[in-house]
Amino acid sequence: MRTAGYVLIFLFGLLALSGCGKTGEEDGNQSMDIYYLNKDETGIDSEPYTLQETDTNRQIQEILKVMAQAPDNADNKAVISSSFTILEIVREGEQVILTVDEGYRNLDPAAEVLTRAALVRTLTQLNGIDYVSMKVRNDPLTDRSGNPIGIMEASMFIDNAGDEINTYERARLTLYFTDANGTKLLQATRTVVYNTNISMEKLVMEQLIKGPNNDELFPTINPETKVNNVTVKDGICYVNLNESFLTPLPNATSEVTIYSITNSLVELPNVNKVQISINGNTEGSFRERIPFSTIFERNLELIE
C-alpha cells in the first residue's frame, strides 16, 4: 500500500472506503456536472448531479460509481464501461491517480481521449482536486505515439462543439498576455489537447480569450469575445471577431491587446502577419487609435 496518499479500492456498487489514511475535506452537498460519452462516441455531454457524500475521498468513489451507470439521457453512454476496470484509486494531495486494467488499451482512440476528458472534467470539479493521472497496471498511460500522458487538468481538453471528431492531438502554444500595468507583453506556454477539426489559429485565439492560468499574468481580450472565423492566406492570418472585442479590458492598452493577438499568432509557422476585423468589417479603429485596416506584424518592443 502507498504511504503517500489515500488509497481507495474501487468496487462497482460499493461506496465504502478503507478505514486507513487521511480523510477528505467536508465539502457539503456539492452540485456538479457528470460528463458522459454521447451515443456516437464523438463528444462528451454533461448532466447535473448533486453529491450525496460530503467527504472528498468518498465523493471520488461516488462519482466513479455514477460514471459507471447508465445516464438519465438516453443519448449518452457511461464512461466507465465493461471495456475496462478501475483497479485502484489513489488521492495524493490535489491529484487523483486512477489505475486501470489492460482493457483500457482496446478503446477506440477517439473514445479513449473522450473518456479521459470526461473523467478529468468531472473529478476536477471537486474542491481540492485539480489534477488526474492514469496508469495501466504499473505502466503510465501513453498516447498513440507512445509518449506518457502525464498529469491532466480540465483546461487541457478543448471543446470543438458542433463538429464530428476525427482525432485529438497535443499542442504546445506560445501565448502573450500582459502584466499588472497592462503595458507590456509577457510570454506564456500552454499545453492543450485539441480536436484537429479546429485550426491552430482558432485554437490560439480561443486560448487567448480564455486568459492566463496564473495570477502573475493578466488577460488582454474581453472574455465575451467570440471568434467568428479565422483564415490564413499567403502568410496573413485574418481574424474575424464579434463586437464584444470592441469593449476593452481596463488593464490593457490598445497596443497590448492588438499585439497579444499578433505576436501569439505569428508564433505559428504558417503565419507572418495578422489582420483583425469585426463581424467581417475592417472599417473603423480599435479604441479609435488603431485602424482595423492595418496588417500587423510581430512587435518585439512590447515584450518584457
Side-chain angles (χ1 to χ4, degrees):
M1 181 177 290
R2 294 174 181 264
T3 57
Y6 191 99
V7 180
L8 302 86
I9 305 302
F10 183 71
L11 298 174
F12 289 107
L14 296 180
L15 290 177
L17 306 184
S18 60
C20 62
K22 65 181 180 180
T23 59
E25 298 88 291
E26 298 295 324
D27 292 330
N29 293 104
Q30 179 180 345
S31 297
M32 62 182 303
D33 292 321
I34 301 287
Y35 283 89
Y36 299 97
L37 304 183
N38 65 23
K39 64 180 179 181
D40 297 322
E41 297 187 352
T42 58
I44 60 176
D45 193 14
S46 64
E47 297 183 16
Y49 181 77
T50 300
L51 289 162
Q52 303 303 305
E53 297 288 346
T54 56
D55 173 89
T56 303
N57 296 315
R58 292 182 180 275
Q59 287 176 338
I60 295 169
Q61 282 279 75
E62 180 183 352
I63 286 171
L64 293 174
K65 179 187 176 184
V66 172
M67 296 183 80
Q69 299 171 346
D72 293 336
N73 186 343
D75 289 332
N76 294 331
K77 299 172 59 175
V79 169
I80 303 169
S81 65
S82 57
S83 301
F84 69 95
T85 301
I86 296 180
L87 302 175
E88 183 183 67
I89 309 160
V90 177
R91 179 187 173 195
E92 291 186 351
E94 298 175 342
Q95 179 185 183
V96 174
I97 305 170
L98 302 178
T99 301
V100 297
D101 68 358
E102 292 82 356
Y104 188 87
R105 299 189 192 277
N106 297 325
L107 293 176
D108 175 82
E112 188 276 322
V113 175
L114 292 172
T115 297
R116 280 193 278 124
L119 287 167
V120 173
R121 283 191 167 184
T122 301
L123 288 170
T124 55
Q125 293 174 68
L126 290 177
N127 295 332
I129 302 299
D130 294 325
Y131 309 100
V132 176
S133 61
M134 297 180 67
K135 299 190 302 179
V136 180
R137 296 285 181 179
N138 295 321
D139 299 324
L141 184 65
T142 59
D143 61 20
R144 288 174 297 164
S145 301
N147 302 309
I149 299 295
I151 297 174
M152 298 172 284
E153 56 184 317
S155 63
M156 293 175 60
F157 297 93
I158 308 303
D159 281 328
N160 189 23
D163 292 324
E164 185 178 355
I165 291 172
N166 290 329
T167 186
Y168 275 81
E169 298 290 348
R170 184 185 296 262
R172 187 175 179 85
L173 305 178
T174 299
L175 306 174
Y176 289 89
F177 297 106
T178 191
D179 58 5
N181 296 322
T183 58
K184 291 290 185 181
L185 290 174
L186 302 178
Q187 185 185 98
T189 57
R190 179 176 301 176
T191 300
V192 297
V193 176
Y194 74 102
N195 184 336
T196 54
N197 286 339
I198 185 174
S199 70
M200 289 295 292
E201 298 81 31
K202 186 175 182 181
L203 182 64
V204 166
M205 287 303 306
E206 289 182 346
Q207 291 297 295
L208 277 176
I209 293 168
K210 183 177 181 180
N213 288 335
N214 62 60
D215 296 333
E216 298 177 359
L217 302 175
F218 294 84
T220 61
I221 303 173
N222 183 339
E224 298 300 318
T225 301
K226 304 297 182 185
V227 181
N228 293 326
N229 57 66
V230 184
T231 58
V232 179
K233 183 178 181 180
D234 298 328
I236 302 176
C237 184
Y238 298 92
V239 181
N240 181 5
L241 305 174
N242 77 343
E243 62 279 358
S244 295
F245 178 72
L246 298 174
T247 303
L249 295 179
N251 68 315
T253 67
S254 304
E255 289 77 12
V256 159
T257 296
I258 293 296
Y259 286 103
S260 70
I261 295 173
T262 303
N263 286 11
S264 298
L265 286 169
V266 171
E267 291 285 344
L268 299 175
N270 61 324
V271 177
N272 299 316
K273 301 177 182 179
V274 174
Q275 184 175 35
I276 300 169
S277 63
I278 303 301
N279 295 324
N281 190 346
T282 57
E283 296 179 0
S285 302
F286 183 60
R287 291 187 178 181
E288 299 182 355
R289 288 176 50 86
I290 304 176
F292 285 119
S293 59
T294 306
I295 296 179
F296 303 101
E297 300 185 47
R298 189 196 303 266
N299 185 327
L300 300 177
E301 295 180 358
L302 287 174
I303 300 175
E304 187 171 85

